[in-house]
Amino acid sequence: QAQLVETGGGLVQPGGSLRLSCVVSGRIASLDYMGWYRQAPGKERELVATIAPNGDRNIVDSVKGRFTISRDPRVNTVYLQMSDLKPEDTAVYYCHFPRTNSWGQGTQVTVSS
């Protein structure tokens, strides 16, 4: 089993920055694939970024150069660092641990003036 707790969302102006955190606990491997997804109202959930056990990152083209994924296994935390936020980034952001198909509760990111 795995538990994922996300924090860091909120209201931010266009061009602003946020860092989302996902703390992972439970019976899981300390290093495995991890992912960030997002879902806007009325839209399907979409992949944003993944990080592999060796640290390789996959970031979708729409946010590449603005977002990055990282982790600190010593504190069981994966991050999504977001900059130059745009209104179209508004969504609920979810952390995902695919080994157990575990999801965080989601954290709302709203980009608006």
Side-chain angles (χ1 to χ4, degrees), residues 64-108:
K64 195 168 187 177
R66 300 188 297 118
F67 292 12
T68 192
I69 186 171
S70 62
R71 67 171 137 203
D72 186 348
R74 298 184 65 182
V75 293
N76 301 316
T77 302
V78 61
Y79 304 96
L80 184 67
Q81 299 159 315
M82 306 183 294
S83 63
D84 192 23
L85 283 160
K86 304 177 184 298
E88 51 264 43
D89 297 319
T90 296
V92 178
Y93 284 72
Y94 297 90
C95 186
H96 185 233
F97 180 64
R99 180 184 291 271
T100 57
N101 193 29
S102 299
W103 297 89
Q105 81 286 352
T107 186
Q108 176 71 48

Side-chain angles (χ1 to χ4, degrees), residues 15-60:
S17 299
L18 285 173
R19 185 179 71 167
L20 307 183
S21 299
C22 173
V23 178
V24 184
S25 62
R27 297 173 182 175
I28 61 172
S30 59
L31 285 174
D32 207 333
Y33 284 94
M34 295 291 298
W36 282 97
Y37 289 71
R38 66 185 182 184
Q39 187 168 20
K43 306 295 183 181
E44 65 183 19
R45 192 169 299 183
E46 64 176 351
L47 178 68
V48 177
T50 61
I51 186 164
N54 67 358
D56 287 347
R57 300 167 179 171
N58 177 43
I59 303 171
V60 299

